[in-house]
mmCIF file of all heavy atoms in Angstrom:
data_model
loop_
_atom_site.group_PDB
_atom_site.id
_atom_site.type_symbol
_atom_site.label_atom_id
_atom_site.label_comp_id
_atom_site.label_asym_id
_atom_site.label_seq_id
_atom_site.Cartn_x
_atom_site.Cartn_y
_atom_site.Cartn_z
ATOM 1 N N MET M 165 -68.431 -38.371 11.872
ATOM 2 C CA MET M 165 -67.849 -39.381 11.034
ATOM 3 C C MET M 165 -66.694 -40.118 11.716
ATOM 4 O O MET M 165 -66.143 -40.959 11.128
ATOM 5 C CB MET M 165 -67.265 -38.773 9.680
ATOM 6 C CG MET M 165 -68.396 -38.043 8.767
ATOM 7 S SD MET M 165 -69.643 -39.316 8.344
ATOM 8 C CE MET M 165 -68.765 -40.373 7.327
ATOM 9 N N ARG M 294 -74.772 -33.542 -12.705
ATOM 10 C CA ARG M 294 -74.289 -34.634 -11.712
ATOM 11 C C ARG M 294 -74.828 -36.015 -12.187
ATOM 12 O O ARG M 294 -74.116 -36.949 -12.191
ATOM 13 C CB ARG M 294 -74.616 -34.258 -10.274
ATOM 14 C CG ARG M 294 -73.936 -33.132 -9.589
ATOM 15 C CD ARG M 294 -74.529 -33.020 -8.130
ATOM 16 N NE ARG M 294 -74.115 -34.162 -7.375
ATOM 17 C CZ ARG M 294 -74.631 -34.343 -6.186
ATOM 18 N NH1 ARG M 294 -75.538 -33.531 -5.589
ATOM 19 N NH2 ARG M 294 -74.280 -35.404 -5.432
ATOM 20 N N ASP M 300 -68.144 -37.370 -12.421
ATOM 21 C CA ASP M 300 -67.301 -38.550 -12.293
ATOM 22 C C ASP M 300 -66.336 -38.682 -13.392
ATOM 23 O O ASP M 300 -65.124 -38.997 -13.172
ATOM 24 C CB ASP M 300 -68.169 -39.870 -12.388
ATOM 25 C CG ASP M 300 -69.141 -39.961 -11.123
ATOM 26 O OD1 ASP M 300 -68.669 -39.421 -9.996
ATOM 27 O OD2 ASP M 300 -70.078 -40.608 -11.201
ATOM 28 N N GLY M 321 -58.838 -37.688 -4.979
ATOM 29 C CA GLY M 321 -59.995 -38.303 -4.340
ATOM 30 C C GLY M 321 -60.847 -37.267 -3.747
ATOM 31 O O GLY M 321 -62.054 -37.545 -3.541
ATOM 32 N N PRO M 324 -63.776 -33.958 -5.950
ATOM 33 C CA PRO M 324 -65.352 -33.684 -6.160
ATOM 34 C C PRO M 324 -65.862 -32.683 -5.146
ATOM 35 O O PRO M 324 -66.718 -31.871 -5.517
ATOM 36 C CB PRO M 324 -65.958 -35.099 -5.815
ATOM 37 C CG PRO M 324 -64.950 -36.040 -6.272
ATOM 38 C CD PRO M 324 -63.571 -35.371 -5.855
ATOM 39 N N THR M 325 -65.384 -32.600 -3.969
ATOM 40 C CA THR M 325 -65.791 -31.548 -3.041
ATOM 41 C C THR M 325 -65.344 -30.132 -3.508
ATOM 42 O O THR M 325 -66.278 -29.307 -3.417
ATOM 43 C CB THR M 325 -65.238 -31.752 -1.552
ATOM 44 O OG1 THR M 325 -65.440 -33.139 -1.262
ATOM 45 C CG2 THR M 325 -65.704 -30.758 -0.681
ATOM 46 N N GLY M 335 -74.378 -29.900 -2.150
ATOM 47 C CA GLY M 335 -73.710 -30.944 -2.926
ATOM 48 C C GLY M 335 -72.334 -31.247 -2.409
ATOM 49 O O GLY M 335 -71.903 -32.324 -2.333
ATOM 50 N N ALA M 336 -71.614 -30.074 -2.137
ATOM 51 C CA ALA M 336 -70.231 -30.237 -1.675
ATOM 52 C C ALA M 336 -70.101 -30.803 -0.249
ATOM 53 O O ALA M 336 -69.335 -31.597 0.055
ATOM 54 C CB ALA M 336 -69.636 -28.843 -1.658
ATOM 55 N N ARG M 337 -71.152 -30.566 0.466
ATOM 56 C CA ARG M 337 -71.270 -31.082 1.867
ATOM 57 C C ARG M 337 -71.336 -32.606 1.696
ATOM 58 O O ARG M 337 -70.842 -33.410 2.529
ATOM 59 C CB ARG M 337 -72.381 -30.452 2.599
ATOM 60 C CG ARG M 337 -72.356 -30.796 4.151
ATOM 61 C CD ARG M 337 -73.565 -30.013 4.871
ATOM 62 N NE ARG M 337 -73.410 -28.649 4.707
ATOM 63 C CZ ARG M 337 -74.393 -27.985 4.061
ATOM 64 N NH1 ARG M 337 -75.403 -28.422 3.411
ATOM 65 N NH2 ARG M 337 -74.117 -26.561 3.917
ATOM 66 N N GLY M 338 -72.318 -33.053 0.813
ATOM 67 C CA GLY M 338 -72.515 -34.474 0.528
ATOM 68 C C GLY M 338 -71.220 -35.117 0.059
ATOM 69 O O GLY M 338 -70.836 -36.265 0.449
ATOM 70 N N MET M 339 -70.502 -34.464 -0.831
ATOM 71 C CA MET M 339 -69.258 -34.915 -1.314
ATOM 72 C C MET M 339 -68.145 -35.160 -0.148
ATOM 73 O O MET M 339 -67.588 -36.113 -0.093
ATOM 74 C CB MET M 339 -68.536 -33.991 -2.441
ATOM 75 C CG MET M 339 -69.448 -33.992 -3.593
ATOM 76 S SD MET M 339 -69.467 -35.473 -4.511
ATOM 77 C CE MET M 339 -70.322 -34.973 -6.053
ATOM 78 N N MET M 340 -68.205 -34.116 0.743
ATOM 79 C CA MET M 340 -67.229 -34.168 1.877
ATOM 80 C C MET M 340 -67.617 -35.349 2.707
ATOM 81 O O MET M 340 -66.651 -36.046 3.075
ATOM 82 C CB MET M 340 -67.367 -32.871 2.664
ATOM 83 C CG MET M 340 -66.430 -32.802 3.951
ATOM 84 S SD MET M 340 -66.744 -31.319 4.967
ATOM 85 C CE MET M 340 -68.469 -31.667 5.576
ATOM 86 N N VAL M 341 -68.859 -35.553 3.128
ATOM 87 C CA VAL M 341 -69.156 -36.656 3.952
ATOM 88 C C VAL M 341 -68.920 -37.923 3.182
ATOM 89 O O VAL M 341 -68.435 -38.970 3.852
ATOM 90 C CB VAL M 341 -70.707 -36.554 4.402
ATOM 91 C CG1 VAL M 341 -71.154 -37.819 5.081
ATOM 92 C CG2 VAL M 341 -70.923 -35.322 5.080
ATOM 93 N N ASP M 342 -69.224 -38.001 1.906
ATOM 94 C CA ASP M 342 -68.985 -39.254 1.105
ATOM 95 C C ASP M 342 -67.396 -39.587 1.187
ATOM 96 O O ASP M 342 -67.086 -40.848 1.255
ATOM 97 C CB ASP M 342 -69.375 -39.072 -0.336
ATOM 98 C CG ASP M 342 -69.268 -40.272 -1.146
ATOM 99 O OD1 ASP M 342 -69.750 -41.342 -0.910
ATOM 100 O OD2 ASP M 342 -68.428 -40.308 -1.970
ATOM 101 N N ALA M 343 -66.581 -38.531 1.043
ATOM 102 C CA ALA M 343 -65.053 -38.825 1.080
ATOM 103 C C ALA M 343 -64.662 -39.352 2.384
ATOM 104 O O ALA M 343 -63.942 -40.265 2.449
ATOM 105 C CB ALA M 343 -64.354 -37.552 0.798
ATOM 106 N N MET M 344 -65.226 -38.771 3.445
ATOM 107 C CA MET M 344 -64.852 -39.226 4.817
ATOM 108 C C MET M 344 -65.380 -40.720 4.995
ATOM 109 O O MET M 344 -64.722 -41.449 5.674
ATOM 110 C CB MET M 344 -65.372 -38.426 5.869
ATOM 111 C CG MET M 344 -64.550 -37.061 6.024
ATOM 112 S SD MET M 344 -65.025 -36.075 7.486
ATOM 113 C CE MET M 344 -66.658 -35.427 7.054
ATOM 114 N N ALA M 345 -66.489 -41.032 4.413
ATOM 115 C CA ALA M 345 -67.050 -42.352 4.628
ATOM 116 C C ALA M 345 -66.215 -43.343 3.745
ATOM 117 O O ALA M 345 -66.062 -44.471 4.217
ATOM 118 C CB ALA M 345 -68.461 -42.315 4.181
ATOM 119 N N ALA M 346 -65.779 -43.010 2.575
ATOM 120 C CA ALA M 346 -65.177 -43.887 1.731
ATOM 121 C C ALA M 346 -63.655 -44.033 2.121
ATOM 122 O O ALA M 346 -63.143 -45.172 2.000
ATOM 123 C CB ALA M 346 -65.215 -43.269 0.210
ATOM 124 N N TYR M 347 -63.035 -42.963 2.437
ATOM 125 C CA TYR M 347 -61.548 -43.117 2.788
ATOM 126 C C TYR M 347 -61.240 -43.038 4.276
ATOM 127 O O TYR M 347 -60.130 -43.382 4.626
ATOM 128 C CB TYR M 347 -60.825 -41.870 2.008
ATOM 129 C CG TYR M 347 -60.920 -41.948 0.575
ATOM 130 C CD1 TYR M 347 -61.975 -41.216 -0.105
ATOM 131 C CD2 TYR M 347 -59.929 -42.577 -0.258
ATOM 132 C CE1 TYR M 347 -61.949 -41.238 -1.466
ATOM 133 C CE2 TYR M 347 -59.992 -42.488 -1.556
ATOM 134 C CZ TYR M 347 -61.100 -41.937 -2.284
ATOM 135 O OH TYR M 347 -61.018 -41.918 -3.465
ATOM 136 N N GLY M 348 -62.191 -42.526 5.088
ATOM 137 C CA GLY M 348 -61.937 -42.422 6.416
ATOM 138 C C GLY M 348 -61.712 -40.895 6.843
ATOM 139 O O GLY M 348 -61.142 -40.092 6.072
ATOM 140 N N ALA M 349 -62.313 -40.650 8.019
ATOM 141 C CA ALA M 349 -62.283 -39.186 8.381
ATOM 142 C C ALA M 349 -60.868 -38.684 8.597
ATOM 143 O O ALA M 349 -60.674 -37.467 8.437
ATOM 144 C CB ALA M 349 -63.191 -38.934 9.559
ATOM 145 N N SER M 351 -58.169 -39.847 7.070
ATOM 146 C CA SER M 351 -57.330 -39.984 5.918
ATOM 147 C C SER M 351 -56.978 -38.701 5.305
ATOM 148 O O SER M 351 -57.479 -37.579 5.642
ATOM 149 C CB SER M 351 -58.050 -40.858 4.843
ATOM 150 O OG SER M 351 -59.126 -40.203 4.369
ATOM 151 N N VAL M 353 -57.409 -37.830 2.172
ATOM 152 C CA VAL M 353 -58.486 -37.378 1.340
ATOM 153 C C VAL M 353 -59.768 -36.820 2.288
ATOM 154 O O VAL M 353 -60.247 -35.879 1.886
ATOM 155 C CB VAL M 353 -58.979 -38.626 0.536
ATOM 156 C CG1 VAL M 353 -60.313 -38.136 -0.291
ATOM 157 C CG2 VAL M 353 -57.994 -38.957 -0.569
ATOM 158 N N GLY M 354 -59.955 -37.631 3.375
ATOM 159 C CA GLY M 354 -60.992 -37.021 4.196
ATOM 160 C C GLY M 354 -60.730 -35.749 4.786
ATOM 161 O O GLY M 354 -61.524 -34.844 4.829
ATOM 162 N N SER M 357 -60.824 -32.997 1.928
ATOM 163 C CA SER M 357 -62.241 -32.642 1.454
ATOM 164 C C SER M 357 -62.789 -31.585 2.538
ATOM 165 O O SER M 357 -63.475 -30.772 2.146
ATOM 166 C CB SER M 357 -63.099 -33.966 1.451
ATOM 167 O OG SER M 357 -63.180 -34.525 2.773
#
Side-chain angles (χ1 to χ4, degrees):
M165 296 301 295
R294 292 181 64 191
D300 293 334
T325 303
R337 193 176 302 113
M339 295 290 187
M340 176 186 70
V341 173
D342 181 70
M344 286 191 286
Y347 296 91
S351 66
V353 171
S357 65

